[in-house]
Amino acid sequence: MKILTRALATFLLFANLAVFAQDDADTSKTTVEKIESQLKLKFQKGPGVGNLGGAAEIKIPEGFVFLEAKDTQTLLEAMENPTGGDELGFIAPASLDWFVVFEFDDSGYVKDDEKGNLDADKMLESMKRGNKEGNKERKRRGWAELNLIGWEIKPAYNDQTHNLEWAIKCESAGKMVINHNTRVLGRKGVMEVTLVAGPEELAPNLPKFREVLTGFDYKSGNKYAEYRQGDKIAEYGLTALVVGGASAVALKSGAFKGLWKLIVLAIAGIGGLLGKLFGRKSE
């Protein structure tokens, strides 16, 4: 059984990019150019189209940048976020004030017959049980614990776009974080879309994120409406997608091994990466 690398969050908080810009001596380069130079990456600049594996693509608006799968994984690892090989793309405004990561779970066609019966309270209870196990592993690794507080946006499914969206409030090391997730159902699996922004940036940038996401589309043969009899059917439905996908099945069976990956906390995000790469001075 496949354990999803990230079912709730991968990255949650930003350090201040403006502070970094003052610390770095080379002011002739943009943040994007500095990351390209240090990590040997190549950002694709909009307008254009970003390739998300063989199944989907995303339009890159003017003023945005995009990374394909390999470079996305390199960037995430540099931010101390474990990768599972399912990461297909990264898109962000050139300022990197917020960003989005795309991952694909090839679990099969997820039936949406639970769309009228999404019980947010029960979902939260289940997620907290999984997080309790996750905190044991984080403690073992010397990481800060993460506490789930409640919904910022309760799970809602759009049966026209086949998008499932939710956001949850968490606390770690005395700081509040908000994790926003979207799942886009396809014929052969689910595209997991994680919006990464600080709590203050989420509300003003959520409309911009949703606008960018309208440029996402599965390629011909991979769309949800193109399901054919005999296609692989996922082992779980919409509720389990919120709770943790395949990991939710493991949780119900008591197979907790690997469930610490349900919520992976990286305190620094892009800002922490920049400080590490370019030697930000500490007081």
Side-chain angles (χ1 to χ4, degrees):
M1 180 181 296
K2 181 179 178 181
I3 299 297
L4 303 186
T5 304
R6 280 175 291 273
L8 291 178
T10 313
F11 353 76
L12 299 171
L13 294 177
F14 281 93
N16 193 320
L17 294 181
V19 174
F20 160 74
Q22 294 174 357
D23 288 343
D24 192 89
D26 187 357
T27 58
S28 64
K29 290 183 179 181
T30 66
T31 299
V32 165
E33 290 171 337
K34 292 171 184 176
I35 292 176
E36 284 183 322
S37 175
Q38 290 291 325
L39 298 180
K40 310 304 179 186
L41 306 179
K42 183 60 180 177
F43 284 94
Q44 182 179 342
K45 298 175 177 62
V49 177
N51 181 46
L52 297 171
E57 59 189 18
I58 181 78
K59 293 180 181 177
I60 311 168
E62 180 80 32
F64 279 68
V65 294
F66 176 83
L67 292 174
E68 290 194 358
K70 184 177 180 181
D71 283 349
T72 295
Q73 293 164 22
T74 298
L75 180 61
L76 297 184
E77 290 286 350
M79 288 191 290
E80 299 183 359
N81 286 283
T83 57
D86 299 324
E87 299 82 10
L88 297 180
F90 168 106
I91 192 168
S95 62
L96 300 181
D97 291 335
W98 53 275
F99 62 91
V100 177
V101 174
F102 295 88
E103 300 174 74
F104 187 70
D105 176 21
D106 60 355
S107 55
Y109 181 85
V110 176
K111 294 182 178 181
D112 63 359
D113 49 7
E114 296 177 340
K115 59 188 177 184
N117 190 34
L118 296 175
D119 191 326
D121 292 337
K122 287 186 177 180
M123 290 183 199
L124 188 62
E125 290 175 8
S126 182
M127 292 158 71
K128 286 182 175 179
R129 289 198 299 272
N131 186 61
K132 183 177 180 181
E133 295 301 317
N135 274 334
K136 293 179 182 179
E137 180 65 21
R138 282 189 286 274
K139 183 177 181 180
R140 188 184 70 81
R141 290 169 174 250
W143 297 352
E145 290 190 358
L146 181 66
N147 301 304
L148 275 65
I149 296 174
W151 298 110
E152 180 71 14
I153 300 173
K154 290 186 177 182
Y157 178 70
N158 185 322
D159 58 5
Q160 299 299 312
T161 62
H162 307 294
N163 288 10
L164 177 64
E165 181 184 43
W166 72 93
I168 194 164
K169 293 182 289 188
C170 307
E171 178 274 332
S172 182
K175 295 185 178 182
M176 291 293 299
V177 294
I178 299 176
N179 175 229
H180 186 279
N181 291 270
T182 304
R183 299 291 182 264
V184 186
L185 308 189
R187 177 184 176 186
K188 301 176 181 178
V190 180
M191 187 66 72
E192 304 173 1
V193 186
T194 305
L195 168 62
V196 185
E200 297 79 11
E201 288 79 26
L202 180 65
N205 289 308
L206 193 54
K208 300 175 187 177
F209 158 73
R210 288 171 175 160
E211 183 178 352
V212 169
L213 197 57
T214 63
F216 170 89
D217 198 11
Y218 281 108
K219 296 179 181 178
S220 180
N222 293 278
K223 301 177 188 293
Y224 192 76
E226 294 176 305
Y227 168 79
R228 297 291 181 269
Q229 191 69 30
D231 284 350
K232 178 183 177 181
I233 303 296
E235 297 181 47
Y236 50 87
L238 298 180
T239 295
L241 274 180
V242 178
V243 174
S247 298
V249 180
L251 182 61
K252 289 180 180 179
S253 68
F256 292 118
K257 183 178 180 181
L259 286 181
W260 66 274
K261 292 184 178 180
L262 279 173
I263 307 173
V264 181
L265 178 66
I267 294 295
I270 286 282
L273 167 66
L274 297 177
K276 183 168 62 174
L277 290 180
F278 307 118
R280 264 179 68 173
K281 297 178 181 179
S282 59
E283 295 184 12

